[in-house]
Amino acid sequence: MLLLNSSLLRVCSSIVSSPQLHQNFFHPVNFVAWRLLSSSASNSKNNDKQHIVVALGGNALLKRGEPLTVENQRKNIRDGISSLSAVLRSNTVTFVHGNGPQVGLLALEGAAYQKQTGAIPMQLDVLDAETEGSIGYMLEQEIDSALGDEGRKRGVITMLSQIIVSPNDEAFNNPTKFIGPVYSLEEANKLGKPVKQDGQFYRQVVPSPQPIQLIDQQLTALELLTKNDVIVICGGGGGIPVIFDPVSRRLTGIEAVIDKDRAACMLGKTLGADGLMILTDVEGVAVNKDKPDEKWIKSTSPAAILELADNFPSGSMGPKVSSAIDFVQTQRDRWCRIGSLKDATSMLEGKAGTKITNEHGTDHLEYY
């Protein structure tokens, strides 16, 4: 896996003259991406594909209540990429993924290590970076396996993504972002950390500030890669939250987890993407969910679904719906689809999930 930064590119440039090092150091999938970064952006392909930002929920990569093992994650990722293979082949795709269960496990490991040794645990921004690498690594391998030679020609790469947030964001006073495994009420009360209800269970919550922008040097690389149809995995876990100090000109990580759907929306707008797919472990957006009069939305305008906002909890479906609205309402021909990862192809065909679109007018709302 190649992690993009200027230091690594300088190292890569120093070995460019050696064919033997090319063969041994670079996997073909990542070498395509490195070669693009080493060349001029003016060599971009004439790409007529739609550009879709695909947001994979952390719970889509690990089923609720399932043990957080590498084997379980690999199986779920393999099944997910299989569901997405047609989407990947027909479109330019930029992945953003969640990391709630994964970063929560690392936080628990840090707490256990602190209890044993007295050492201060690593901050959440460092844990975010760790999960970007580990989940990106597994996604790359399954994409490589699914696409074969096509993927090796296009290139697949994971990018460590530092995303600027405001230190004054109100989220730091009201943590809502779920991380870690699920607990019973009795177990949650023993954690000694903020928890909130998530369905039938309880989970730890942390601050989730709004993403402002991907740092400039990484955005430059991301734009070049997507223009050349490279499959990029970025903004993992919503990205690594950082604060920019205008005086020192330094970036500093902060203890938080950015919502990956909001990060996907921000990246999609910045890159001028055509569509946003928010894939999770539920089949779409529902009104009165888990109640006798539950109804699933098939298609809606941003304005119509905004009127139903009270149906969407802030720790789960709320950010997905608000991200969809934000993405779609800024440009008339953009669309967003929310639904289950296993239904990805059917969602693009209009047979599953919920579509947020402007194409049917401002009052449009259709149920299944």
Side-chain angles (χ1 to χ4, degrees), residues 286-338:
V287 172
N288 301 322
K289 192 173 185 303
D290 298 326
K291 296 178 181 178
D293 55 346
E294 174 184 271
K295 293 191 293 184
W296 293 91
I297 301 173
K298 181 176 184 180
S299 180
T300 177
S301 68
I305 199 170
L306 183 60
E307 294 293 321
L308 304 171
D310 289 345
N311 286 270
F312 315 126
S314 61
S316 52
M317 188 56 71
K320 295 173 176 34
V321 171
S322 63
S323 298
I325 292 170
D326 186 14
F327 180 77
V328 172
Q329 68 184 4
T330 54
Q331 191 167 311
R332 183 167 182 79
D333 56 352
R334 281 181 176 157
W335 53 264
C336 177
R337 298 176 189 267
I338 302 174

Side-chain angles (χ1 to χ4, degrees), residues 158-192:
T158 298
M159 175 187 289
L160 282 180
S161 309
Q162 298 181 64
I163 293 181
I164 296 173
V165 301
S166 168
N168 301 316
D169 194 299
E170 62 182 19
F172 291 106
N173 298 318
N174 179 31
T176 59
K177 180 63 179 173
F178 292 116
I179 67 169
V182 296
Y183 300 97
S184 67
L185 178 58
E186 182 181 359
E187 291 170 329
N189 287 335
K190 295 178 181 178
L191 279 181

